[in-house]
Amino acid sequence: MAIAISVQDLNHYFGQGQLRKQVLFDINLEINTGEIVIMTGPSGSGKTTLLTLIGGLRSAQSGSLQVLGQELCGATPQKLTQARKHHGYIFQAHNLHSSLTTLQNVKMGLELHREIPPTEMKARAIRMLEQVGLGERTNYYPDGLSGGQKQRVAIARALVSHPKLVLADEPTAALDSKSGRDVVNLMQTLAKEQGCTILLVTHDNRILDVADRIVHMEDGVLKRNTASPVG
């Protein structure tokens, strides 16, 4: 099976000089294409830092970090931008633009894909909103949506470009149990349909069963790497 993410001996630091602090220690992790992996661990353990490095939001400093066949350790900003074209992001705070409609927010997921004509962008965004059950709310603004609906818009934005990799940081943290379950089931279904890999950071024990594998981070170290307790 092809490997989507390969992390080897990855270390990462914040700050400079005497303020320099190591936050990730010798991380080793492989995730196969199409796999759903959940990362757990206490706040401040380094989960989000590792997620941002894998996502190309900042450059890895030492070791090896290969994502979809591209080495991102020491990558230039231009190379990181190119890498992000193949990723979809879902955050705890949905990060929707309040001044844009749901349709416009989802179209933002295609902004790195200049090769797609505007009419096709609109058509794709509408189809994606229909898939997440919001086809009748294309012209709504975020203020007119519930928390679960906002997170579904965020999922649509993340998946509209048909990414090869979806990275989710606490996507259910602000939702009640039913909305959280709906959101995760939707991510799982759409990602499986599109054949993409999912890495999801969470504190939410109610959704661990969607994972093929669970990894646990503590104090900047990957402590455990186990199969999902439910299949």
Side-chain angles (χ1 to χ4, degrees), residues 14-69:
F14 286 146
Q16 301 290 331
Q18 291 184 326
L19 297 177
R20 193 170 190 244
K21 179 185 178 184
Q22 188 166 359
V23 292
L24 296 178
F25 299 82
D26 297 319
I27 303 294
N28 288 278
L29 175 66
E30 283 193 349
I31 298 176
N32 294 324
T33 298
E35 197 174 13
I36 298 176
V37 174
I38 284 180
M39 190 189 309
T40 63
S43 296
S45 60
K47 305 184 305 297
T48 295
T49 298
L50 180 56
L51 201 71
T52 59
L53 292 173
I54 291 171
L57 295 176
R58 55 165 62 101
S59 182
Q61 296 163 342
S62 74
S64 175
L65 173 58
Q66 293 192 14
V67 180
L68 304 175

Side-chain angles (χ1 to χ4, degrees), residues 116-137:
I116 302 174
T119 52
E120 175 64 15
M121 284 188 179
K122 182 177 180 180
R124 281 199 197 185
I126 290 172
R127 281 199 301 271
M128 202 70 235
L129 282 166
E130 289 170 349
Q131 284 187 270
V132 301
L134 293 174
E136 296 180 355
R137 287 177 164 77

Side-chain angles (χ1 to χ4, degrees), residues 44-123:
S45 60
K47 305 184 305 297
T48 295
T49 298
L50 180 56
L51 201 71
T52 59
L53 292 173
I54 291 171
L57 295 176
R58 55 165 62 101
S59 182
Q61 296 163 342
S62 74
S64 175
L65 173 58
Q66 293 192 14
V67 180
L68 304 175
Q70 297 290 314
E71 177 60 63
L72 299 187
C73 191
T76 63
Q78 293 79 10
K79 187 171 182 179
L80 292 178
T81 298
Q82 284 300 309
R84 289 197 297 269
K85 289 181 70 171
H86 305 292
H87 306 164
Y89 298 89
I90 303 165
F91 299 99
Q92 173 180 343
H94 44 76
N95 288 358
L96 301 181
H97 287 262
S98 60
S99 61
L100 301 180
T101 64
T102 58
L103 178 61
Q104 290 168 328
N105 268 289
V106 174
K107 279 172 64 180
M108 287 189 67
L110 295 168
E111 65 182 2
L112 291 177
H113 298 265
R114 305 294 186 191
E115 72 280 5
I116 302 174
T119 52
E120 175 64 15
M121 284 188 179
K122 182 177 180 180

Side-chain angles (χ1 to χ4, degrees), residues 175-192:
L175 304 177
D176 60 53
S177 57
K178 183 185 184 305
S179 296
R181 168 55 63 177
D182 289 346
V183 159
V184 170
N185 287 346
L186 186 62
M187 281 177 58
Q188 185 182 30
T189 300
L190 293 176
K192 289 291 187 187

